């Protein structure tokens, strides 16, 4: 599983290299070749998330929306867990980042 994780990290690097000039790609990513359109399509068909942080943020925001719709407010207790995720901690972090 560790090798698969390393391979996927490499694929995300190759994805980021798309659209860069060869010189810029080598400067930023070294030997990594840019991913082809076909490779992107195949990975996306499997549901690969290119930006894991953005995907996680969207998931947590969706949980916050569900909480707000159910409870009528978005004042999530700091220790609250929603669908196995620490929604209260996440929201506290979002508020801290806003300050």
């Amino acid at each position: 599983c560790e090798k698969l994780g390393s391979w996927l990290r490499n694929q995300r690097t190759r994805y980021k290299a798309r659209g860069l000039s060869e010189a810029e790609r080598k400067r930023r990513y070294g030997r990594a070749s840019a991913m082809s359109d076909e490779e992107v399509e195949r990975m996306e068909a499997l549901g690969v998330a290119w930006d894991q942080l953005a995907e996680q943020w969207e998931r947590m925001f969706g949980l916050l929306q569900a909480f707000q719709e159910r409870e009528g407010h978005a004042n999530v207790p700091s220790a609250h867990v929603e669908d196995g995720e620490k929604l209260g901690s996440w929201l506290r972090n979002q508020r801290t980042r806003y300050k």
Side-chain angles (χ1 to χ4, degrees), residues 7 12 15 18 20 22 29 33 35 38 45 49-50 54-55 59 62 64-66 68 71 80 82 89 92:
W7 179 83
R12 288 187 174 114
Y15 178 82
R18 293 168 50 89
L20 297 177
E22 186 174 345
Y29 303 115
S33 61
M35 187 173 270
E38 180 185 352
W50 299 117
E55 289 283 328
R59 173 166 166 61
L64 178 59
Q65 284 181 309
Q68 191 276 332
E71 303 295 331
H80 182 75
E82 184 89 8
S89 296
R92 184 180 62 243

Side-chain angles (χ1 to χ4, degrees), residues 43-62:
M43 297 291 277
E44 288 177 347
L46 295 176
V48 169
W50 299 117
D51 186 338
Q52 293 175 290
L53 292 176
E55 289 283 328
Q56 179 66 9
W57 192 93
E58 290 295 336
R59 173 166 166 61
M60 297 304 288
F61 185 77

Side-chain angles (χ1 to χ4, degrees), residues 7-19 25 32-44 48 50:
W7 179 83
L8 187 54
R9 186 172 47 253
N10 186 45
Q11 301 314 301
R12 288 187 174 114
T13 298
R14 293 182 61 222
Y15 178 82
K16 289 178 194 175
R18 293 168 50 89
R25 180 178 44 78
S33 61
M35 187 173 270
S36 71
D37 291 344
E38 180 185 352
E39 289 171 321
V40 170
E41 289 174 17
R42 291 175 70 189
M43 297 291 277
E44 288 177 347
V48 169
W50 299 117

